[in-house]
Amino acid sequence: MENGRRKFLKIASHAIGGTLAAGVAAPVVGLAVHPWLKETVYGIEDFINIGKLDDFQVGIPKKMTITSSKMDAWNIFEGLVMGSVWVVRAEDNTLSVFSTNCPHLGCGIDWGADVNQFLCPCHGGVFDVNGRKISGPSPRDLYTFETKIENNNILVKYKKC
Ligand code: FES
C-alpha cells in the first residue's frame, strides 16, 4: 500500500514538473522558430511583389498600392493595405520607386502629367520624375525604396515613411 502511494506521488510529481518545464520552454522554442515560420511556411518576406515590369510604361509614373500578409500570433491576415508608392520605369528597365508621402510634412504627392513633375498640394513642393526636389519646403528628395526585378516581377522593400 505504502509502495503504491510512493509510486503514485513519484509519477504525479514528474507529471507536474514536466508540465511546468514545457510551460517555460514553449515561449523560448516559439521565439526561435517564429522567424523560420514567418519566412518559409507563410511566405511573408521583406520584399513585396507589386506587379509585372511589362505593366509599367517607360517614363510614366504609376501609383501602386502596397499590400502584404501579416502574422499576428497564430492568425495570418492576407492583402493588408500598407501604403502606396510611385513607380517610374526608365528606358534601360531600371526602376525608381518613391514614397507617395512628401518628405516635408507627409502629404500625398500626385503626378502632374501636364508639367511632368511630382506635386505636393499642401505647401507647393515640386519634384522631378527622378524624385529630386525642384522647389518648395521639403528638406530632401522623395524617399526611395530598395527594388529588384525577379522573373519580370517588381519586388519592393517597403516601409512606412
Ligand atoms: S507636405 Fe509637401 S510641401 Fe509640405
Side-chain angles (χ1 to χ4, degrees):
M1 180 72 173
E2 184 67 26
N3 219 5
R5 202 163 80 191
R6 277 197 183 160
K7 194 173 181 181
F8 169 77
L9 288 173
K10 189 176 176 183
I11 291 171
S13 70
H14 283 201
I16 291 169
T19 303
L20 290 174
V24 170
V28 174
V29 171
L31 274 176
V33 170
H34 180 267
W36 174 80
L37 283 176
K38 185 179 162 191
E39 289 178 12
T40 60
V41 176
Y42 300 116
I44 300 169
E45 300 170 357
D46 288 340
F47 281 90
I48 296 171
N49 188 339
I50 62 166
K52 299 281 184 194
L53 180 64
D54 299 341
D55 296 335
F56 294 82
Q57 291 181 41
V58 171
I60 300 178
K62 186 174 180 181
K63 192 175 183 178
M64 299 297 294
T65 299
I66 301 285
T67 59
S68 185
S69 304
K70 184 179 178 192
M71 190 165 75
D72 180 9
W74 303 111
N75 302 310
I76 304 285
F77 301 97
E78 302 285 350
L80 289 175
V81 175
M82 300 175 68
S84 55
V85 293
W86 283 106
V87 181
V88 182
R89 178 180 172 183
E91 291 271 355
D92 62 358
N93 287 336
T94 57
L95 295 169
S96 297
V97 179
F98 304 116
S99 171
T100 55
N101 297 108
C102 181
H104 180 222
L105 295 178
C107 287
I109 290 173
D110 291 320
W111 173 245
D114 51 337
V115 291
N116 221 32
Q117 293 170 330
F118 288 105
L119 308 170
C120 180
C122 291
H123 313 101
V126 180
F127 307 85
D128 70 14
V129 72
N130 298 310
R132 285 190 289 264
K133 176 188 162 182
I134 295 174
S135 63
S138 174
R140 51 166 289 165
D141 300 337
L142 294 181
Y143 294 109
T144 59
F145 299 105
E146 187 180 342
T147 305
K148 61 183 177 181
I149 301 169
E150 286 181 0
N151 300 323
N152 199 40
N153 292 307
I154 299 174
L155 305 174
V156 175
K157 197 169 198 172
Y158 180 81
K159 65 179 181 202
K160 286 253 185 223
C161 57

